[in-house]
Amino acid sequence: MTSRPVRVRMAPSPTGYFHLGSARTALFNWLYARHTGGAFILRIEDTDRTRLVPDSLQDIMDSLRWLDLDWDEGPEAGGRHGPYFQSQRLPLYHGWAERLVQQGHAYRCYCSEERLAALRQEQLARKAPVIGYDRQCRSLTTAQRAEREATAAAHVIRFAMPTEGETRFVDLLRKIKPFDNDHYRDPIIIKSDGFPTYHFANVIDDHFMEITHILRGDEWLSSVPLHVNLYNALGWEVPVFAHLPLILDPSGVGKLSKRKKRGEGDEELLTYIREYRAAGYLPEAMFNFLAIMGWSYSPNTDVFDREQAIAKFDIADINAAAGALPMTKLNWMNGLYIRELEPADLAERLLPFLGAAVDMADDELRNHAALPLLVPMMQSRLVTLNDAGELVDFVFAQEIRYDPQMLIAKGLDAAGSLTALAAARQLLAELPFEESALEQPMRDLADRLGLKPGQLFGILRVAITGKNVAPPLFSSMIALGRDRALARCARAEELLRGVMG
Ligand code: GLU
């Protein structure tokens, strides 16, 4: 264990959009840093030049900022351990690789791609127990080495792993069996393009950035023995490891990274933070939700805020077992957080979502007279911000479209529905247009017509909103305004006449 001040890092490769699992890793690192008063570092591992995706760095930073996971050092934050892009640290890696070569811990390998491919084929064919480099270049004589140096098109630098024995290390979350060293046949540390491999750059940087704890996905577990041997060869202290469990898809079967639709009606799995954001999840809900994916605040409490999470976070409370993504819980939680927002705050957050649904610019929508009426109606019903359009688009549409059959109430025919609707429109035209003044007279009207209130209200709901399920009827009418409400009733009567032929 280390007694140095805690320094943790998130080390994404800019090879794609920021994944939900990465966000969870970032969150746990951040929580640990904030809990201990340590530092959270963002380092960009951009050494695989073939897999770089241009806008992914921006997406990583946007996603972290959206979740309000601020980094103390890294891109755009600076810090005294920079640069924080591996591609800007090449001399450092070269210097240490050279030193390892001189000390006999690493060596130049001149084997061609063709030779390595043939070697792999041959090992596969004879079902060799270990598939890997045969270490030919490890034992070259000085003369052979000089000859290859002169003739080979390119070379890599490989780490000379111990050829026997085992490597042991401790992970805070699970018991680790010793790894057989011979399994790691001299991995490459510097590639032929001069860039380091992930393993080498990662170890060098974690050392020089004084990282004390490595919390990352458990897909990296099998790399740790190599890393530990690198630390040992370099004579450096090995950080503390905690490998986080996988997040599985909601059925608990597959990896979340695989996008799949299992059957008709299944929703597409959201994989990237940007997708959750676009789907109208609140960052506060997402923060809370990510925190409970593998960590438990307390056995009976799932809902907590940032400060509470910081105060309680402990690596020891992380569950090492992989868990399914509980989408139902996220939806529930998002609704909960939406209901807790100040209405003005909710209105502001809804603008881009509602604006996109009803084709209105933020400013236009912000000043729309109906918005203050609609926000409380939506607040009690939204699961995500994106649901807003579906709920209240009828207020903004010039004309609503629906199947005229929907106007025919259960137990009535078109003529009966028409009579009821016409009577309701007439009454509506006479009543003061205030929410509290509408309901009782309409109930009385239903009574006089020999209808259940539900029958009459159902017809009116379709006439006003075009939907069977909508926010409360009389609030919807008020939001629409008297003239438009009356016009929609008149239009619905026309449609009913059309049905009657
Ligand atoms: N660059 C690695 C990744 O993209 C970092 C793994 C680690 O945290 O060591 O996941």
Side-chain angles (χ1 to χ4, degrees), residues 43 58 87 122 128 232 299 332 356 371 404 496:
R43 178 175 77 225
Q58 197 56 50
S87 57
E122 186 264 322
N232 292 344
W332 167 78
L371 195 65
L496 276 170

Side-chain angles (χ1 to χ4, degrees), residues 37-91:
F40 174 57
I41 289 117
L42 177 62
R43 178 175 77 225
I44 305 300
E45 302 208 324
D46 56 351
T47 59
D48 189 345
R49 309 306 285 172
T50 59
R51 292 179 56 223
L52 296 185
V53 173
D55 57 345
S56 82
L57 171 64
Q58 197 56 50
D59 185 71
I60 291 166
M61 295 196 296
D62 288 350
S63 301
L64 288 170
R65 285 187 174 127
W66 182 68
L67 290 165
D68 210 357
L69 303 179
D70 56 321
W71 53 99
D72 304 304
E73 296 173 29
E76 296 181 6
R80 56 188 182 86
H81 296 76
Y84 294 91
F85 291 85
Q86 290 189 327
S87 57
Q88 295 169 18
R89 300 168 66 84
L90 298 188

Side-chain angles (χ1 to χ4, degrees), residues 9 11-13 45 198 202 216 220:
R9 81 320 191 258
S13 300
E45 302 208 324
Y198 153 74
N202 191 268
R216 66 181 160 204
W220 300 104

